[in-house]
Amino acid sequence: MNKLEEKGTLSAHELNKYAYCPYQWYFEKKYGRKELRRLYVERNEKLGLEDAIGSHFRRGEAFHDENYRGYRFRRKIRRILAAAAAVCLLLLCVLAVKYGWI
């Protein structure tokens, strides 16, 4: 029995898929989503193509890693500057007391 003949009714989701792309709906009904994914991966391996979803994911991951690295660097610089400002203020207070400025 063909996958197209398994059910006699169509769901709203299937109608929406059909309206979007009748070919996609037909091939998914005929072969099944799992088989189509397998064929897709096999074709991409033969052609040396990268999976678009995986490619976008890796690019996004790299972007966020770089962004986070920059954030950590800026945070470290702020801490160093805050510590330097505190040391300068402390030194100024010590000098003010020593020389009687206050």
Side-chain angles (χ1 to χ4, degrees):
M1 181 184 253
N2 191 342
K3 284 191 181 263
L4 286 172
E5 299 168 356
E6 286 179 8
K7 284 193 319 183
T9 60
L10 294 174
S11 67
H13 181 68
E14 287 177 301
L15 288 174
N16 189 27
K17 276 187 169 186
Y18 180 81
Y20 179 71
C21 179
Y23 294 110
Q24 179 184 2
W25 174 84
Y26 172 78
F27 286 116
E28 192 172 301
K29 291 298 277 179
K30 183 169 180 160
Y31 298 109
R33 191 176 294 168
K34 189 175 182 179
E35 178 65 12
L36 288 176
R37 279 196 202 119
R38 187 189 67 75
L39 291 170
Y40 176 77
V41 169
E42 186 179 299
R43 180 204 64 191
N44 285 350
E45 285 174 356
K46 282 181 185 176
L47 296 174
L49 299 174
E50 197 171 320
D51 179 27
I53 294 171
S55 172
H56 292 310
F57 180 75
R58 281 187 287 284
R59 282 183 24 220
E61 216 173 31
F63 170 78
H64 287 288
D65 285 345
E66 183 180 327
N67 197 15
Y68 185 63
R69 236 180 276 119
Y71 166 74
R72 285 190 323 214
F73 177 74
R74 288 188 305 273
R75 189 174 64 184
K76 191 180 288 188
I77 294 296
R78 282 188 197 120
R79 286 181 177 172
I80 290 170
L81 290 175
V87 168
C88 287
L89 188 60
L90 182 64
L91 183 61
L92 187 62
C93 288
V94 168
L95 289 174
V97 169
K98 182 177 179 182
Y99 292 109
W101 297 337
I102 49 174

